[in-house]
Amino acid sequence: MHHRLEVLVKELREMGLLVGVGSLLSWDQETYMPSGAIGVRSEQSALLASLVHEKMTGDRFSGILSELIESNTDDFSDSEKRLLTEVHRDWKRAICLPTSFVSEYSQLVSHAQHIWQEAREKSDFGLFEPYLEKLVEKSREKAAYIDRQKPAYDVLLDTYEPGMTTAYLTPLFAILREGLVDILNRIKPSELTLPDRVFPVEKQWEYGVWFLTQMGFDFSRGRQDKSTHPFTTQFHPHDVRITTRLDANHVMDGFSSTVHEGGHALYEQGLDPAWFGTPLGEAMSLGIHESQSRMWENQIAKSASFWKGQYGRFQALFPDALSDINWETFYKTVNRVKPSLIRVDADEVTYNLHILIRYELEIALMDGTLKVSDLPAAWNQKYEDYLGICPPDASQGVLQDVHWSCGLFGYFPTYTLGNLYAAQFFEKMKEEIVDLDGCISRADFAPITAWLRKNIHGVGRAKTPQELVKDVTGKSLSQEAFIRYLLGKYLG
Ligand code: ZN
């Protein structure tokens, strides 16, 4: 490796270590930190974040990078060139924001989140409205700092899904919507639910840990804990943490969340440690990340093959709750399709309609065609149009998601992209892994994990998501595989 590049990689590794320490503080804050420590913890976290920012934008790092960018890179390998391009992208995004803007923005977000919580509890959009107005305005400003030439929404979208544009996404989502509405109209609405029964949480934990182990989650390089909102975080590929939330009355909530976070975690454990801190050792995009969690959660852990083969083990853990329920009834209950108000509780068929609603609304907010004061009415109208239901109040409607209060515009589409990528990858996997259904049925996931490691996890940011999809599946990203998957599962 070129000497200057080695120096750059060493600097990046140090930043990666600092970022990891920050993530460790946040993980602790969400899991074990005593509540009285919050003040000093915020100070610690802010200090670390500013140290990383200073290191990235400081003269030393900027000098090393500029010199490399301007030098002759003909003798660089493809991955070294890619590394340089990606670091340059990150650096430009870090350096273009004035420090005063960054601190103003982070204060706004922290206030807005606080107010959003209160507004949601009281179901009072009016409380949150002025903050949302400011967040929209500041997000437009932020986008302009990054790239004045592009529409603000495209700049924000590209932050989470590199290379993705509204010009590509809008027509794709329109076809997807047609397909989803068609499937929804053809499925008989189901009222199936599990009877009110108790599923001891220790047993739920045991089943989740068993599943994680089968997935290949390495407990010597990671752990699972409990938190109010399940999440995955990593300090290094050798230290990946997930959390789950268990409720004795809702066994699938906890199991699905364990599997979902397990999918994210497997991706993080599969990144190349040799490139730690650099873009080549980092997850490619939020959409690709979500494809990993959703594939494990839906295509695998909610499949007929899995429950047919593994229901016995599950039933044996919960004899009091499940002795009179057979696997087919359980499977149908788990996969019940019914339009509902809350995104995070939605089934696989309706889930993406929730996302399309948010996508259309946030584009309109960002380009100014929708005023923040008109947002609740627009939200309710879209729920009526797309799902045939109307939220009775703001907390079950426009105030339900935390994202906008954190200034996360352009983030929602990555959830749907994750589902589309997952279906496309899974279809390819089915062609390449002999007897995939049998493996899933036996909970023999080793071939699946090996396939994901080889094709996706180890790539880091050496490709864009679009390139990865094309290289792995031979086809460009589309809604087709996902629609085929839903048709096969729900109407096959
Ligand atoms: Zn996720």
Side-chain angles (χ1 to χ4, degrees):
M1 200 192 284
H2 191 287
H3 171 65
R4 296 307 282 172
L5 196 59
E6 253 171 49
V7 177
L8 184 88
V9 167
K10 189 172 164 277
E11 289 287 315
L12 288 167
R13 194 182 145 77
E14 281 182 9
M15 282 184 238
L17 291 170
L18 285 172
V19 171
V21 174
S23 304
L24 175 53
L25 291 180
S26 316
W27 171 84
D28 176 66
Q29 187 175 328
E30 299 296 320
T31 50
Y32 297 107
M33 188 192 81
S35 61
I38 185 67
V40 69
R41 179 55 47 88
S42 305
E43 245 182 274
Q44 292 168 326
S45 298
L47 175 61
L48 263 169
S50 74
L51 285 176
V52 174
H53 185 78
E54 276 166 28
K55 203 164 162 55
M56 179 85 163
T57 56
D59 291 345
R60 179 179 157 76
F61 187 79
S62 301
I64 299 168
L65 182 62
S66 311
E67 203 182 302
L68 272 164
I69 298 287
E70 283 153 24
S71 69
N72 183 354
T73 56
D74 288 351
D75 57 337
F76 281 26
S77 69
D78 284 350
S79 50
E80 287 169 353
K81 283 181 192 158
R82 184 75 189 203
L83 171 77
L84 206 51
T85 311
E86 292 300 303
V87 175
H88 194 207
R89 172 188 149 100
D90 295 345
W91 177 81
K92 279 190 289 188
R93 283 187 170 244
I95 203 139
C96 71
L97 299 176
T99 319
S100 59
F101 178 85
V102 174
S103 84
E104 200 187 331
Y105 188 81
S106 84
Q107 279 177 30
L108 171 62
V109 165
S110 118
H111 280 144
Q113 265 184 282
H114 191 72
I115 298 291
W116 166 76
Q117 269 176 2
E118 192 190 337
R120 191 172 69 154
E121 273 159 35
K122 297 182 176 159
S123 201
D124 180 355
F125 181 76
L127 272 179
F128 183 51
E129 191 182 314
Y131 290 87
L132 187 56
E133 256 160 24
K134 273 194 210 119
L135 284 164
V136 169
E137 187 192 313
K138 287 286 159 197
S139 298
R140 274 198 214 116
E141 236 175 86
K142 185 176 169 187
Y145 279 125
I146 297 169
D147 189 342
R148 223 165 267 284
Q149 313 299 322
K150 286 192 201 155
Y153 193 79
D154 278 82
V155 176
L156 301 172
L157 177 61
D158 179 80
T159 310
Y160 310 112
E161 203 63 15
M164 190 48 75
T165 60
T166 47
Y168 190 92
L169 220 46
T170 302
L172 172 66
F173 279 5
I175 310 174
L176 174 66
R177 185 193 159 191
E178 262 174 52
L180 292 174
V181 169
D182 170 58
I183 293 172
L184 190 57
N185 288 337
R186 287 159 62 191
I187 295 176
K188 284 191 219 92
S190 164
E191 296 300 332
L192 267 179
T193 48
L194 284 180
D196 265 344
R197 289 185 183 159
V198 173
F199 298 83
V201 288
E202 328 72 77
K203 298 287 175 188
Q204 292 190 40
W205 180 268
E206 188 183 326
Y207 196 75
V209 167
W210 167 78
F211 193 96
L212 289 169
T213 308
Q214 296 304 106
M215 285 171 83
F217 179 81
D218 182 348
F219 279 93
S220 73
R221 299 190 298 134
R223 52 178 289 137
Q224 180 180 242
D225 292 84
K226 291 176 191 159
S227 69
T228 321
H229 302 287
F231 65 93
T232 300
T233 187
Q234 57 92 22
F235 319 137
H236 186 276
H238 294 333
D239 195 351
V240 178
R241 310 292 176 98
I242 61 174
T243 66
T244 192
R245 171 179 54 191
L246 303 175
D247 172 345
N249 298 114
H250 298 96
V251 68
M252 279 308 284
D253 288 2
F255 177 60
S256 290
S257 102
T258 296
V259 175
H260 182 100
E261 301 310 327
H264 282 305
L266 215 56
Y267 185 13
E268 294 289 345
Q269 286 189 335
L271 293 168
D272 186 349
W275 287 112
F276 171 71
T278 81
L280 300 181
E282 260 170 21
M284 189 174 288
S285 73
L286 288 185
I288 296 297
H289 228 306
E290 194 68 3
S291 77
Q292 300 307 294
S293 55
R294 292 291 277 181
M295 183 190 291
W296 283 102
E297 181 189 351
N298 291 324
Q299 270 88 350
I300 298 168
K302 283 187 184 160
S303 67
S305 303
F306 177 73
W307 287 109
K308 193 174 179 188
Q310 297 303 321
Y311 186 65
R313 170 190 291 272
F314 193 67
Q315 209 177 18
L317 278 175
F318 309 106
D320 296 342
L322 295 175
S323 59
D324 58 342
I325 296 171
N326 65 24
W327 83 265
E328 279 162 303
T329 307
F330 184 80
Y331 167 73
K332 280 184 195 153
T333 310
V334 164
N335 287 290
R336 176 178 90 143
V337 174
K338 193 182 176 210
S340 58
L341 293 169
I342 306 296
R343 176 184 63 87
V344 295
D345 298 334
D347 57 77
E348 282 179 283
V349 177
T350 57
Y351 182 86
N352 296 291
L353 293 170
H354 290 260
I355 301 299
L356 300 194
I357 290 172
R358 287 151 179 75
Y359 172 70
E360 290 168 16
L361 291 173
E362 56 184 21
I363 286 181
L365 283 175
M366 214 42 71
D367 71 17
T369 50
L370 176 66
K371 279 193 289 191
V372 169
S373 54
D374 295 332
L375 177 65
W379 176 287
N380 291 357
Q381 188 59 50
K382 283 198 190 286
Y383 267 78
E384 193 71 66
D385 294 346
Y386 289 24
L387 288 153
I389 50 179
C390 188
D393 54 47
S395 67
Q396 293 178 75
V398 66
L399 290 175
Q400 69 180 261
D401 281 311
V402 69
H403 304 61
W404 291 339
S405 76
C406 308
L408 296 174
F409 299 96
Y411 186 110
F412 278 117
T414 67
Y415 290 122
T416 287
L417 285 168
N419 291 321
L420 302 187
Y421 297 141
Q424 218 161 318
F425 292 146
F426 193 70
E427 211 169 61
K428 191 65 187 174
M429 193 190 273
K430 224 168 183 166
E431 278 171 41
E432 294 186 353
I433 296 178
V434 183
D435 190 25
L436 180 62
D437 285 337
C439 292
I440 293 175
S441 180
R442 294 186 301 276
D444 167 19
F445 301 140
I448 298 176
T449 303
W451 190 94
L452 294 171
R453 287 265 187 269
K454 172 172 156 266
N455 288 293
I456 295 163
H457 299 172
V459 180
R461 283 166 59 191
K463 294 175 185 172
T464 65
Q466 304 252 41
E467 288 166 346
L468 180 76
V469 170
K470 191 80 200 269
D471 290 352
V472 172
T473 70
K475 291 177 198 144
S476 300
L477 168 67
S478 87
Q479 81 298 340
E480 285 173 14
F482 183 63
I483 294 291
R484 265 197 297 277
Y485 160 70
L486 292 182
L487 285 171
K489 182 165 175 177
Y490 294 94
L491 293 162

